Amino acid sequence: MQRWPVLLFLAWVCFLFFAGIGLFTSGFLLTRIELASRSSCSDPLLPPPWERQNLPTGSCWAPQRFPKAVLVIIDALRFEFARFNPTKATPLPYENKLSFLHHLVTSQPRHARLYRFRADPPTATMQRIKGLTTGSLPTFIDVGSNFATYAIQEDNLLAQLAQNGRRVVFMGDDTWEGLFPKNFFRSYFFPSFNVKDLHTVDDGILQHLYPTVDSGEWDVLIAHFLGVDHCGHKHGPDHPEMAKKLTQMNEMLRSLVDHLGNDTLLLVAGDHGMTETGDHGGDSEKEVNAALFVYSKTPLFGTGPPEKPEAVPQVNLVPTVALLLGVPIPYSNIGEVMAELFSGDGDAVSAALQQLSVYHINAKQVDRFLHSYSLVAQDLPAEQLQHLQELFSSAVEEHIRLLAQVQGATLVPPELESRLGTLIGRFQLYLREARAVCTQSWARFRPLRMMGGCTLIAASCLLCYMASELAAALDSFYRSCLLYPLLWGVVVAVLLGLAHVFTQEGLDLLLVSSWAAAASQVGFFWHWWGQYPKRARSVGSQPPLASIGLRQRLRAWLGLAFPMGILLFRCGAMFSDSFVVAEARVAPFLLASLVTLLVGKLHWDGRLTVPEGPKQQFLGFSSYRREIWYLLCFVATLLVCVRLSGFFHQCREEIPHCRPSLFLSPLASLRNTRAKNLFYLLCVALLAGLAYAVRSWLRHYGNLNSSDPLVLFVRWGFPLVVLCIACYWAVASSAEDSLGKLQELVQVAVVAFPWAVYGLASVGLLLLLCNPMTVFAKDTRESAGSIVTPSLGVPSSEVDFLHVIPQIYRRMQESQKSRLERGSYKATVAAYGLGSVYSAALVIALTLLGFLLMLLHSERLSLAFLLLFLEAFMLLHIHTRARGLAGDAEPFSVPWYAVISWLLAASQFFYSTGHQPIFPAIHWNAAFVGFHLDHSTNLLPAVLVGANTFASHILFAVGCPLLLLWPFVCEIPSSQKRKPKKEPQEELQEVEEHMMEMRLRESPEKFSNALLQLGLKYLFVLGMQVPL
C-alpha cells in the first residue's frame, strides 16, 4: 500500500471531524451581536426636569456629582475576603484581613457601604473587564480570547471618558492594554499571565499609585491588583500567603484614603471570586460572589447601611459611574443605576425625585438599545419586547404626569412620596426584566448548527467504521474513495463561493467547510455503495457468517456487541446531565466493566479451560489453563490502578460536599516540612523507578546493546532528565522559603532546570526521528584472535579472568559459526533487539513525552502518571493474553474491545491528572514552567496549557500502535516450552517461527493495512466521545 493515498485519506477524515466539531461549537458556544453605535451628549435622553435646563459644566445627561474617581480592582476579591466578622476568634487566612473597610463602614455609615458584587459567568478576568466597562454580558465564546485579548469595539465607559475629555490613568494588569488601546492619558502596564508571580504587578502599582494621586493630573484612576488572584491560583485561599496579600491590600487602602480629596469617589471591586482551590471561570456561588466597596469623604447615602449587604449585579456599576462623573451611559449597557448614590443631602422627596430622574435616563438608554438591537438581530423574542415597551411607555407617561402635579403643587408630601416610590419601582421592574430577557436570549443555543455538527461527526464515525472494515482492500480503492469525495467537496465549496459572490453576502468559511465536508461524505458513501456488488462478487456470493452455525454466529456478534454497547452507552450519556457531571466516575466504571466482560466472554466461549482427559486431577481448578491465572492477575492489577486513580480527581461545582484531591496542590503549598520532604522523596523515587523500568525492559529485549546515539541517550540522557526534574521540584517547592542572594539563585534555577528538560527531551525525540533503530547487528564470521590478558601471560587474577571470559565466549561463537558454515555455507549475523524494534522506539518516545508532561504538572501528580503507565502496561498484557486464549487466527487485526478500553483509559486519566471539562479546572501554572516573566507570544503558553490538559490523550494516542505490536513482542520462544527433543533441523525451524516483530516484515502489506485499520478504529472511538 502506497503511503500518500493513505496519509491523504486520514487527513481528509480528520478534516471531517474538525468540520463537525467546528459547526457544533458555533451553535453551542454562545454569542451575541455587538452594536457599533455610541452614546453622546447630544442624544435626546434628558428626563423632564432637566430637558429645559442647562446642565452644569462638565455634565452630560445628568448633573456631575464627582469630578474625580478612583477604581481599585482587586482581582478575585471574593465577598468573604472583604466582610469583617468581629465575633470570629480564630479566622481563616482570608478572613478579617480587610479591617479598614469595616472601620469606614461602622465609623462613617453615610460615607461608605459594602455590597455583594454579583458577576455574570464566565468568571474569567477578560470577560469581567468587558462587563465592568460596557455594562453588557460577555458570552462564553469570548473565554478563548484570554490568551489573545482584542480591543473592545463596543461602546464602553473608558471610551466615553476619553471622548468627553477626561484624563484616565491606568496601572496594573496588562490585559487592559489589549482591550483599550490609546484610551489612557497615562498607563503603567505590568505582565499579568504568570500566576506564580504574586508581587510584580502589585509592587509596580504601589510604586506609582500615591505619587500619581498626589499629582492631581488625572480625572479617573484605575488600579488593577493581581496578587490575590495569583495567590489563589498558586496556593488557594486557605494559605498564609493569602493572609499576607490581603493585609497588604488593607494597608494600601488605608494609605490611599489618606491621599484622596473630598471631591473623589473611591470604588474597590473584585471582578470575580474564587473556589476553594483558588480557581475561577465557572458559575459557582463562590466564583460569582465578589465584593464592591463604595466610599467618599462627602456623604453619599441618605440612610445607614442595611443589616445584610445588598447584592448588586456587576453591570450596574457602568451606568452608575457614568452618571456620577457626568458622562453618557455606554450605548449597549443593560445595567441598572444604583440610585441610592444619587440621594444627596436633601429630604426624602428631593432624594426620590433625583433618583427618579436617573432611572428615567437609564430606562431611556436601555429602551434605545433594545430597539436598535432588535433591528439587526432576531435573538430577542418579539412578545417580550412588546411587553417591555409597554412597561417603559407607561412608566414614562406616569413620570410626566407626576412631575406636572409636582409643579402644580397638587400633591401633599406623604402622597407624593408614596407615588414616587411606586414609580421608581416600575422603572426598576422594567430595567430588571429587560436584563433578564437579554440574559435568557443570549443564553440560547443554535440547535440547527448543533444538530448539523452532530450529524457530521456521526457520519464521520460511520465512515471510519466502514473504512476500517475495508482496510484489507487494494490501494486503488483508497485512491478512488479519496478522489471522488474530494471532487464532490470542492464542487460544493466552489458553488457556495460563487453564490456568495453573486449575492454579495459575507462568506462564512465555517459553513462552507461544513457543506463541503457533508458533500464529500455523500460522495464517499455513494461510491462505496456503487463498488459494493463488485467487492461482494470478489469475496464470494455468501457472506462469511452464513457458513457457520448459529452458536458461532451469536458468539461473533456478541464479541462486537459487548464493546460497542459500552461505547454507545458512554456516547448516550451526553443526554444525561447527571452522567456528564459524574463522568469522572463513569469512565473508570465502564473500563472495569469492559475488562470484566472480556474475561466472562472468554469463559463462556470455553477458552479458559483445557479439554477434559483421563489424567485430569480431582480439583476443579486443574481444568483451567495456566494462562488464565496470569490474565486474572493482570485484571486484578488493572482494577487496583483504576481504584487508586480516583484519589487524584478535581471537583466540579455541581457536586456538593466534594473535596478536591490533596495531590493536586504543589509541594510548595504544604506547611509541614516533614510531609513535604517525604512527598518529594516519594515523587523522585517513582520518577527514577519509571526510568529504571523502561531501561530494564529495553535491556531485556536487547535494545541497549548498540552504541548508536539514541541508545547512548537512553543510557545517559534518561538519568539526566530525571535529575533535572528532581532538581526543579526541589527548588520550586522551596522558592518561597529562600532569602537574599539564595532567592536570586533559586529564581534562575526554576527557569534553568525546566529548559534543561526541554532541551534533553527535544534531543532525544530528534534522535528518535532521525534513527529510531535500536538494533545491534554483529557478523559472527569475525576472527576471534588470540586470548590476551593485562599481563600477557597465564591468567592469574580476577582482573585477568574478566578479560579472558569474553574472549573464550567469542571463541565458542567462532567454533559454532565454523560448524554452521561447513554445513550450510551461509553467513550468520547476530541481531540484538530486532524482535522489539518498533515497540522500543514507541516506548522511548512515550517515556520522553511522559517526562515532559510530568514536568508540566504538580509534583505529586507523578503518582498518577505512574498509575497511567502501569495501567497501560496491564491493558497491553490483558489484550495479549486474551488474544492468545481466544486463539485469534488473524494477528494483524486489533479487536474493538482493545481500542475502546485504550481510549476509556485515556479519558479516565484525563480526570485522574486533576482535570475537568470546566474553565476553573484549567492548570494555568503549566504556561510558566521554565518561564519567570511574561511570554512575548500567546502561542507557547497555549501549547503548554494544552499539553498539560490533554496529557493522557497525548500519551495514549502515541502509544496506540502498541496494541498491534505488543502481541508480537510477548511471543513466547519455543525453546522456553517443554517439548520432546527433536532433530536439530526441526528445532531450528521451530525457533524461526517465533520471530516477534520480525514477523511484521514478512507481510509488509498486511502490516500497513493493520496500522491503517487501527488508526481508523481509533478515530471512530474518539469521534464517538467527541460530544462529551
Side-chain angles (χ1 to χ4, degrees), residues 995-1027:
M995 299 182 296
M996 300 169 67
E997 290 182 1
M998 290 184 289
R999 189 185 302 278
L1000 297 170
R1001 300 312 305 167
E1002 290 182 348
S1003 305
E1005 189 75 16
K1006 288 185 177 181
F1007 185 28
S1008 300
N1009 288 335
L1011 287 175
L1012 175 61
Q1013 184 185 48
L1014 178 59
L1016 290 171
K1017 287 182 176 181
Y1018 188 89
L1019 287 175
F1020 169 78
V1021 179
L1022 190 63
M1024 292 288 287
Q1025 302 182 77
V1026 162

Side-chain angles (χ1 to χ4, degrees), residues 385-397:
L385 284 176
Q386 181 64 30
H387 172 67
L388 290 174
Q389 182 63 39
E390 293 173 357
L391 284 178
F392 172 73
S393 300
S394 62
V396 170
E397 292 174 0

Side-chain angles (χ1 to χ4, degrees), residues 697-718:
W697 185 89
L698 294 171
R699 187 181 297 110
H700 173 72
Y701 285 102
N703 296 104
L704 290 184
N705 291 321
S706 71
S707 58
D708 291 339
L710 179 60
V711 175
L712 294 178
F713 180 84
V714 173
R715 290 178 182 172
W716 303 106
F718 277 18

Side-chain angles (χ1 to χ4, degrees), residues 209 258 482 593 846 853-854 939 954 963 1008:
L209 180 61
D258 293 337
L482 177 64
S593 301
L846 286 170
L853 295 173
M854 277 191 277
L939 178 61
I954 293 172
L963 294 172
S1008 300

Side-chain angles (χ1 to χ4, degrees), residues 850-884:
F851 287 149
L852 285 174
L853 295 173
M854 277 191 277
L855 182 71
L856 298 178
H857 288 75
S858 62
E859 301 90 341
R860 286 185 285 182
L861 282 179
S862 59
L863 305 174
F865 277 93
L866 179 69
L867 288 176
L868 183 151
F869 283 107
L870 181 59
E871 185 170 314
F873 187 72
M874 291 298 107
L875 281 174
L876 292 172
H877 275 284
I878 291 171
H879 163 53
T880 301
R881 293 286 176 175
R883 290 195 62 172

Side-chain angles (χ1 to χ4, degrees), residues 80-312:
E80 288 78 10
F81 297 177
R83 183 177 57 185
F84 190 88
N85 186 2
T87 62
K88 202 153 192 177
T90 56
L92 296 174
Y94 59 82
E95 293 179 330
N96 291 359
K97 296 301 181 292
L98 296 179
S99 57
F100 183 65
L101 302 184
H102 177 72
H103 166 72
L104 291 177
V105 171
T106 54
S107 61
Q108 305 178 52
R110 295 188 59 195
H111 297 250
R113 187 161 297 181
L114 180 65
Y115 297 90
R116 290 184 182 270
F117 209 31
R118 302 286 296 182
D120 296 295
T123 51
T125 295
M126 193 194 73
Q127 280 63 42
R128 291 299 85 235
I129 293 175
K130 287 185 177 181
L132 287 170
T133 55
T134 64
S136 60
L137 300 177
T139 50
F140 274 91
I141 199 170
D142 295 326
V143 172
S145 14
N146 265 333
F147 279 114
T149 59
Y150 55 89
I152 294 179
Q153 303 298 328
E154 227 174 359
D155 194 11
N156 59 81
L157 186 59
L158 294 184
Q160 287 296 333
L161 290 169
Q163 179 179 319
N164 288 276
R166 307 301 170 86
R167 298 168 296 177
V168 182
V169 177
F170 178 84
M171 51 188 70
D173 185 353
D174 62 353
T175 303
W176 293 68
E177 182 179 15
L179 294 175
F180 306 101
K182 301 179 181 179
N183 276 341
F184 299 112
F185 175 75
R186 188 181 297 115
S187 58
Y188 306 94
F189 297 113
F190 302 97
S192 61
F193 196 62
N194 188 355
V195 294
K196 293 185 177 182
D197 185 1
L198 308 185
H199 308 294
T200 298
V201 177
D202 293 1
D203 292 346
I205 295 174
L206 293 176
Q207 181 181 356
H208 299 282
L209 180 61
Y210 307 122
T212 303
V213 173
D214 294 338
S215 68
E217 297 179 355
W218 56 277
D219 297 307
V220 176
L221 191 150
I222 304 174
H224 191 158
F225 291 87
L226 289 178
V228 172
D229 178 69
H230 287 188
C231 184
H233 284 296
K234 185 175 182 180
H235 302 292
D238 192 10
H239 192 275
E241 284 296 326
M242 182 62 76
K244 296 179 182 178
K245 264 295 153 192
L246 291 174
T247 302
Q248 182 188 31
M249 294 296 100
N250 187 64
E251 296 304 316
M252 176 272 297
L253 293 173
R254 189 187 303 273
S255 301
L256 178 61
V257 168
D258 293 337
H259 288 76
L260 294 181
N262 295 333
D263 60 347
T264 303
L265 174 68
L266 173 63
L267 301 163
V268 182
D271 56 343
H272 52 74
M274 68 171 63
T275 63
E276 290 300 327
T277 57
D279 300 312
H280 58 88
D283 59 352
S284 67
E285 184 64 23
K286 293 183 178 180
E287 291 172 276
V288 302
N289 202 20
L292 172 65
F293 177 78
V294 183
Y295 173 76
S296 172
K297 291 187 176 180
T298 58
L300 269 174
F301 306 97
T303 59
E307 294 184 4
K308 292 184 178 181
E310 181 184 354
V312 176

Side-chain angles (χ1 to χ4, degrees), residues 864-935:
F865 277 93
L866 179 69
L867 288 176
L868 183 151
F869 283 107
L870 181 59
E871 185 170 314
F873 187 72
M874 291 298 107
L875 281 174
L876 292 172
H877 275 284
I878 291 171
H879 163 53
T880 301
R881 293 286 176 175
R883 290 195 62 172
L885 290 170
D888 195 348
E890 181 51 59
F892 291 94
S893 178
V894 179
W896 282 103
Y897 73 82
V899 182
I900 295 174
S901 62
W902 194 254
L903 271 161
L904 284 175
S907 298
Q908 169 205 345
F909 277 99
F910 169 79
Y911 298 99
S912 296
T913 49
H915 298 98
Q916 285 280 355
I918 53 177
F919 291 116
I922 297 177
H923 297 182
W924 301 109
N925 292 341
F928 292 93
V929 176
F931 298 91
H932 179 60
L933 299 177
D934 201 14
H935 291 277

